[in-house]
C-alpha cells in the first residue's frame, strides 16, 4: 500500500513539474511594431531623374515570453512601388522577457531608377507618398527568421509623420511564432 502511495505522489509531482515547465517555456507571440508617431524622414532629395531618402524608424519588439529573445539581425527596407529606396540594419538586439523593447533603425538611401523618381514626382503633387516597410528578422537561436510588413503614408519632404497628422501610433504585426 505504501508503494502505491509513493508512486502516486511521484507521478503527481512529475505531472505538475511538466505542466509548469510547459507553461513557462512554451513559445508565445512576438510582435514587431513601428512607432508612426516618431517616424522621421531625415533627408529628402527629389527631382525628375533622381530620388534619395533617409529615415529614422523607431520600432518596438513586444515579447510575451518568459525568456528574453536574442536577435542576430533586423534588416529593414523601405519600398516605394515595390522598389527599395532605403535600407538599414539593427544587429545583436535583445527583446527582454514579458515586455517591450525599443530600438531605432536608421535607413540610408538606396540608388533608384529614373522611373521611381518620375512616379514619385507625380505622387508628391498631393504631398504624400506611400512607403512599405519590410523587416526581415533573424533570431540567433535555431536559425528562425520571419518577416514583418506594414505600409505608411509619409510627407513628401524631410520631417516627421506626426507633423502631417499621418500617424497611427504603434503599428504592430505578429511574428506568427506561437
Amino acid at each position: 500500500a505504501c508503494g502505491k502511495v509513493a508512486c502516486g505522489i511521484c507521478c503527481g509531482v512529475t505531472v505538475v513539474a511538466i505542466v509548469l515547465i510547459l507553461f513557462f517555456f512554451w513559445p508565445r507571440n512576438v510582435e514587431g511594431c513601428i512607432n508612426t508617431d516618431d517616424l522621421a524622414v531625415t533627408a529628402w532629395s527629389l527631382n525628375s531623374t533622381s530620388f534619395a531618402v533617409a529615415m529614422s524608424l523607431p520600432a518596438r519588439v513586444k515579447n510575451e515570453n518568459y525568456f528574453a529573445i536574442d536577435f542576430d539581425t533586423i534588416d529593414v527596407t523601405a519600398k516605394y512601388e515595390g522598389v527599395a529606396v532605403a535600407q538599414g540594419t539593427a544587429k545583436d538586439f535583445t527583446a527582454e522577457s514579458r515586455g517591450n523593447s525599443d530600438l531605432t533603425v536608421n535607413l540610408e538611401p538606396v540608388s533608384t531608377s529614373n522611373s521611381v523618381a518620375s512616379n514619385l514626382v507625380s505622387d508628391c503633387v498631393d504631398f504624400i507618398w506611400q512607403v512599405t516597410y519590410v523587416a526581415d528578422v533573424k533570431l540567433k537561436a535555431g536559425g528562425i527568421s520571419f518577416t514583418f510588413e506594414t505600409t505608411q503614408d509619409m510627407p513628401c519632404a524631410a520631417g516627421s509623420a506626426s507633423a502631417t497628422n499621418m500617424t497611427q501610433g504603434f503599428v504592430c504585426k505578429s511574428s506568427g511564432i506561437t
Side-chain angles (χ1 to χ4, degrees):
C2 186
K4 289 181 181 180
V5 171
C7 182
I9 290 172
C10 281
C11 287
V13 169
T14 302
V15 168
V16 168
I18 289 171
V19 167
L20 287 174
I21 289 170
L22 287 175
F23 177 77
F24 286 106
F25 291 105
W26 192 267
R28 289 172 173 74
N29 190 37
V30 176
E31 286 185 339
C33 305
I34 294 174
N35 182 354
T36 62
D37 291 344
D38 294 329
L39 185 66
V41 174
T42 56
W44 175 272
S45 172
L46 173 65
N47 62 43
S48 61
T49 60
S50 69
F51 170 63
V53 63
M55 300 177 187
S56 175
L57 183 75
R60 172 174 287 169
V61 177
K62 293 182 177 184
N63 181 10
E64 296 177 9
N65 291 289
Y66 282 92
F67 49 88
I69 297 177
D70 293 324
F71 295 89
D72 187 33
T73 57
I74 301 174
D75 293 317
V76 179
T77 303
K79 294 182 176 184
Y80 170 72
E81 294 186 344
V83 177
V85 294
Q87 292 178 325
T89 299
K91 294 184 179 205
D92 297 322
F93 177 73
T94 299
E96 300 302 322
S97 63
R98 305 290 298 161
N100 299 327
S101 300
D102 294 335
L103 72 150
T104 299
V105 181
N106 293 313
L107 306 179
E108 297 300 322
V110 173
S111 67
T112 59
S113 67
N114 291 348
S115 64
V116 168
S118 62
N119 290 346
L120 195 52
V121 166
S122 297
D123 284 351
C124 282
V125 168
D126 296 325
F127 303 105
I128 296 171
W129 67 298
Q130 192 171 71
V131 61
T132 299
Y133 298 99
V134 179
D136 294 313
V137 181
K138 293 179 183 74
L139 301 184
K140 285 189 176 182
I144 298 171
S145 63
F146 49 89
T147 301
F148 297 108
E149 186 172 319
T150 189
T151 301
Q152 169 78 26
D153 287 334
M154 289 295 293
C156 290
S160 70
S162 61
T164 58
N165 296 319
M166 294 181 192
T167 62
Q168 305 166 25
F170 279 95
V171 176
C172 300
K173 300 288 181 174
S174 173
S175 65
I177 298 175
T178 55

